[in-house]
Amino acid sequence: MEEQQIMTLFHDYSNMVYRLAYSYLGSPQDAEDLVQTVFLKLIDGKALPKPGSERAFLIRITVNCCKDQLRSVWLRRTVPLDDTIPFQHPEDRELFQAVMELPQKYRIVIYLHYYEGYTFPEIAGFLKISPSGVSMRIHRARKLLKKMVMSNNL
């Protein structure tokens, strides 16, 4: 892949890769490192997307790298840094915290569906589960979020 093509992909998709990695890993620093890892794979030529499917390709690579990182022994020995992420509205912070408290399998489908706008079959392809599995995870995640938000408002 040529340098200009990689720079274009980076410009177009680095924020999406970062947000996806952050939703998986829960740490901005780990997400930044993972963005570099994903795009280094393109630079090294270890992974090449098909023309027209770059976005889906980058999501698949990101998901795989996140899973690899979560399985690593190094991650188990680290302590997360306390982060303060600025929000314009206080309710945005509450919703963000509620989503980040969801189990990973629910958090990722919520992100891909509601933030990135992917359909259930597309998400199923990325995560290698059935579309009905995606639907069930979103349903359960929404129930958990509703319960968390309702308990915080009482």
Side-chain angles (χ1 to χ4, degrees):
M1 203 169 209
E2 293 182 24
E3 183 179 340
Q4 185 58 37
Q5 291 172 312
I6 294 170
M7 290 305 294
T8 301
L9 286 176
F10 183 81
H11 182 268
D12 294 344
Y13 299 110
S14 62
N15 286 333
M16 185 250 334
V17 169
Y18 173 81
R19 290 188 306 266
L20 180 58
Y22 184 72
S23 71
Y24 249 98
L25 304 173
S27 164
Q29 295 80 16
D30 290 340
E32 289 170 0
D33 290 345
L34 198 113
V35 170
Q36 291 178 10
T37 301
V38 168
F39 285 97
L40 281 173
K41 287 183 182 228
L42 292 176
I43 291 170
D44 292 343
K46 292 180 180 176
L48 299 172
K50 294 178 184 173
S53 63
E54 291 89 358
R55 186 174 189 203
F57 176 81
L58 288 170
I59 287 175
R60 183 75 241 152
I61 294 289
T62 304
V63 167
N64 288 338
C65 288
C66 286
K67 287 179 179 180
D68 290 345
Q69 186 163 344
L70 288 172
R71 281 186 289 235
S72 78
V73 174
W74 173 255
L75 185 65
R76 294 182 200 137
R77 291 190 227 163
T78 60
V79 177
L81 297 172
D82 289 334
D83 298 320
T84 55
I85 300 172
F87 291 95
Q88 292 181 348
H89 307 290
E91 55 274 1
D92 291 345
R93 176 177 297 286
E94 293 172 19
L95 183 59
F96 174 77
Q97 289 173 340
V99 170
M100 292 309 289
E101 289 176 14
L102 288 172
Q104 177 191 359
K105 67 181 184 178
Y106 298 141
R107 188 172 58 232
I108 194 66
V109 293
I110 290 290
Y111 170 77
L112 288 172
H113 182 66
Y114 289 107
Y115 192 80
E116 292 297 329
Y118 281 104
T119 63
F120 292 179
E122 291 171 324
I123 296 169
F126 297 143
L127 301 178
K128 297 182 181 174
I129 59 175
S130 68
S132 63
V134 172
S135 173
M136 184 55 70
R137 286 182 184 187
I138 287 180
H139 174 73
R140 289 177 180 164
R142 289 178 64 193
K143 282 177 68 174
L144 286 171
L145 282 171
K146 184 176 180 179
K147 187 185 298 185
M148 285 182 209
V149 170
M150 295 303 282
S151 68
N152 287 342
N153 287 338
L154 295 178

